[in-house]
C-alpha cells in the first residue's frame, strides 16, 4: 500500500477533526488548523511548523515529530510519550501544554518559550541543556528526570525535588529558587 507524501505544502484554516490523511509530511506548514481529538497515529512530520493550531487530545501513537516547531498552539492533554522516539525534536513557543505527558522521553536541548505548562508530566525525562524561558510550570511533575544544565532562570511556579531529580548545573534565579524547597514546607523571605 502506497503512503501519502506531502512536501512543502501549506495547510491553512483546515479542520482535521474528522479525518487526516496518514502519511509523511515534510517541510509543511499548518496555520490555524484544528486537529483536536484527531487520529495522528503513524503519521511522520519532518521539519514542519504548526502555527495557531489546536492539537488537543490528538492521538500520537507512533507519530514521528522530527524537527517540529509549535508556535501559539493549543496542545492540551497530549501524550508525547506515545510518539516515535526516533529523531524526536520539538520546539514550543507561546503554547498551552496543560495536562500533557513527556514520560520517559529524551528531550535534550528542547526549547520551551513563554509556554503555559500546568500539570505537565516530566517523569523519567532527559531534558539535559533544555530551556524553560518564561514558562509557567504550575503543578508540573518532575520525578526521576535529568535536569542537568536546564535553564529555569525565568520559569515560574515550579516545584522540583532535588533529591529525586538530577539537577547538576541547572540554572535558577533568586526569585524562583524557592521552587526547590517546596518539599521541606519552609518559607523564604
Amino acid at each position: 500500500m502506497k503512503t501519502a507524501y506531502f512536501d512543502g505544502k501549506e495547510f491553512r484554516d483546515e479542520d482535521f477533526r474528522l479525518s487526516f490523511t496518514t502519511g509523511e509530511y515534510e517541510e509543511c506548514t499548518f496555520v490555524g488548523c484544528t486537529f483536536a481529538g484527531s487520529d495522528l497515529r503513524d503519521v511522520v512530520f519532518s521539519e514542519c511548523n504548526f502555527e495557531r493550531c489546536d492539537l488537543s487530545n490528538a492521538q500520537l501513537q507512533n507519530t514521528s515529530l522530527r524537527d517540529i516547531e509549535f508556535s501559539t498552539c493549543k496542545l492540551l492533554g497530549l501524550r508525547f510519550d506515545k510518539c516515535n522516539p526516533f529523531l524526536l525534536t520539538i520546539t514550543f513557543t507561546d503554547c498551552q501544554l496543560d495536562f500533557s505527558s513527556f514520560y520517559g522521553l529524551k528531550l535534550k536541548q528542547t526549547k520551551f518559550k513563554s509556554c503555559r505548562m500546568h500539570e505537565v508530566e516530566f517523569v523519567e525525562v532527559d531534558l539535559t541543556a533544555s530551556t524553560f524561558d518564561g514558562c509557567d510550570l504550575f503543578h508540573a511533575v518532575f520525578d526521576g528526570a535529568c535536569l542537568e544544565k536546564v535553564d529555569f532562570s525565568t520559569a515560574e511556579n515550579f516545584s522540583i525535588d532535588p533529591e529525586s531529580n538530577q539537577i547538576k548545573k541547572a540554572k535558577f534565579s533568586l526569585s524562583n529558587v524557592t521552587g526547590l524547597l517546596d518539599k521541606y514546607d519552609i518559607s523564604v523571605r
Side-chain angles (χ1 to χ4, degrees):
M1 183 173 168
K2 188 174 180 182
T3 303
Y5 178 76
F6 301 90
D7 183 18
K9 186 169 181 183
E10 181 176 298
F11 299 87
R12 187 173 286 275
D13 300 319
E14 295 200 34
D15 189 341
F16 295 114
R17 285 180 289 191
L18 297 177
S19 69
F20 185 74
T21 304
T22 301
E24 187 170 346
Y25 295 79
E26 189 169 342
E27 296 183 3
C28 291
T29 302
F30 298 89
V31 180
C33 295
T34 303
F35 296 87
S38 296
D39 185 352
L40 302 177
R41 288 180 287 185
D42 301 312
V43 175
V44 176
F45 294 105
S46 298
E47 299 179 43
C48 293
N49 293 322
F50 291 84
E51 302 169 20
R52 298 185 328 274
C53 294
D54 183 357
L55 287 89
S56 298
N57 297 312
Q59 299 301 308
L60 297 178
Q61 288 85 351
N62 202 39
T63 303
S64 295
L65 298 174
R66 301 174 183 158
D67 197 16
I68 304 303
E69 293 185 23
F70 292 104
S71 177
T72 319
C73 290
K74 191 173 179 181
L75 308 164
L76 304 178
L78 287 182
R79 296 287 310 267
F80 290 99
D81 58 316
K82 298 293 182 186
C83 289
N84 182 338
F86 183 68
L87 298 177
L88 178 68
T89 313
I90 40 185
T91 300
F92 302 95
T93 304
D94 296 316
C95 292
Q96 215 178 353
L97 288 145
D98 298 354
F99 312 108
S100 293
S101 175
F102 293 95
Y103 176 82
L105 292 175
K106 290 189 186 319
L107 295 172
K108 293 181 178 184
Q109 300 179 343
T110 299
K111 290 179 177 44
F112 298 92
K113 182 174 180 169
S114 302
C115 293
R116 180 181 149 134
M117 306 176 79
H118 291 194
E119 300 189 44
V120 172
E121 180 183 40
F122 292 106
V123 176
E124 298 180 21
V125 176
D126 185 349
L127 286 161
T128 302
S130 293
T131 304
F132 289 91
D133 182 9
C135 293
D136 181 356
L137 294 160
F138 182 76
H139 285 182
V141 178
F142 293 91
D143 189 33
C146 182
L147 305 175
E148 295 183 5
K149 300 179 184 173
V150 173
D151 188 348
F152 288 103
S153 59
T154 60
E156 60 184 21
N157 297 323
F158 61 83
S159 179
I160 298 171
D161 182 351
E163 294 176 21
S164 64
N165 296 282
Q166 301 169 40
I167 62 169
K168 188 175 182 178
K169 296 190 179 183
K171 297 175 187 166
F172 300 92
S173 67
L174 274 177
S175 63
N176 73 10
V177 76
T178 56
L180 298 173
L181 304 172
D182 287 343
K183 114 177 203 175
Y184 302 109
D185 196 23
I186 60 175
S187 167
V188 178
R189 296 187 191 272

